[in-house]
């Protein structure tokens, strides 16, 4: 039995501030359209050098805590060797080493199999790029 592979790119307006954008509904809508009740894997990927993907609780403060922790770990100052862009932009380029640009998630009976309170989020610290792309790919 051979599996099917379906992929789509979605555009996300992230604005001019550091942000986390919840992708869970977009992932679920994509799977409703393409998975047809099958089991498989959903890969979520952002092709940017300054953003990443996280599985985290949102709305209860954890999302704000993650952004605060990233500001503490990766301060936007002049210590970074990457010097293009605004001062401190080099820290944005280190973000994907801590918050990877990909996530692979189980799909069971056509639905995203997340734990209680888990969400799929795009983490973007780059205030110079107000638009991001995310590729959703289902293999099942």
């Amino acid at each position: 039995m051979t599996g099917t592979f379906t992929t789509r790119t979605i555009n996300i307006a992230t604005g001019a501030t550091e942000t986390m954008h919840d992708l869970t509904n977009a992932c679920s809508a994509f799977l409703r359209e393409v998975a047809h009740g099958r089991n498989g894997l959903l890969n979520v990927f952002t092709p940017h050098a300054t953003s990443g993907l996280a599985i985290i609780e949102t709305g209860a403060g954890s999302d704000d805590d993650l952004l605060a922790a990233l500001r503490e770990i990766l301060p936007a100052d002049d210590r970074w060797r990457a010097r293009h862009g605004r001062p401190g932009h080099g820290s944005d380029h280190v973000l994907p080493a801590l918050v990877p640009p990909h996530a692979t998630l189980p799909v069971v009976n056509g639905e995203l199999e997340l734990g209680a309170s888990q969400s799929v989020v795009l983490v973007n610290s780059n205030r110079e790029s107000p638009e991001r792309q995310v590729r959703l790919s289902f293999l099942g």
Side-chain angles (χ1 to χ4, degrees):
M1 175 179 199
T2 61
T4 61
F5 178 79
T6 307
T7 189
R8 175 174 304 143
T9 299
I10 58 175
N11 295 309
I12 307 296
T14 55
T17 60
E18 63 183 9
T19 187
M20 291 178 51
H21 183 86
D22 194 333
L23 300 170
T24 309
N25 288 338
C27 292
S28 294
F30 173 70
L31 289 171
R32 278 192 300 278
E33 186 179 326
V34 303
H36 307 293
R38 292 189 311 264
N39 297 331
L41 297 171
L42 174 68
N43 182 265
V44 186
F45 174 74
T46 183
H48 302 284
T50 57
S51 61
L53 295 156
I55 310 302
I56 191 170
E57 179 181 26
T58 60
S62 297
D63 37 0
D64 292 332
D65 288 341
L66 177 58
L67 289 175
L70 290 170
R71 279 192 301 273
E72 189 172 317
I73 295 168
L74 302 172
D77 58 23
D78 64 355
R79 74 182 72 195
W80 307 102
R81 290 190 178 108
R83 302 266 184 210
H84 68 280
R86 65 173 165 68
H89 176 62
S91 65
D92 296 332
H93 287 273
V94 179
L95 173 80
L98 301 175
V99 182
H102 57 87
T104 301
L105 306 165
V107 177
V108 177
N109 298 323
E111 295 185 12
L112 193 55
E113 187 75 6
L114 292 173
S117 302
Q118 287 184 318
S119 296
V120 182
V121 297
L122 173 70
V123 180
N124 183 51
S125 63
N126 185 354
R127 298 183 302 269
E128 296 175 356
S129 299
E131 296 282 329
R132 293 287 155 178
Q133 291 183 331
V134 174
R135 176 167 294 281
L136 305 175
S137 301
F138 174 69
L139 177 63

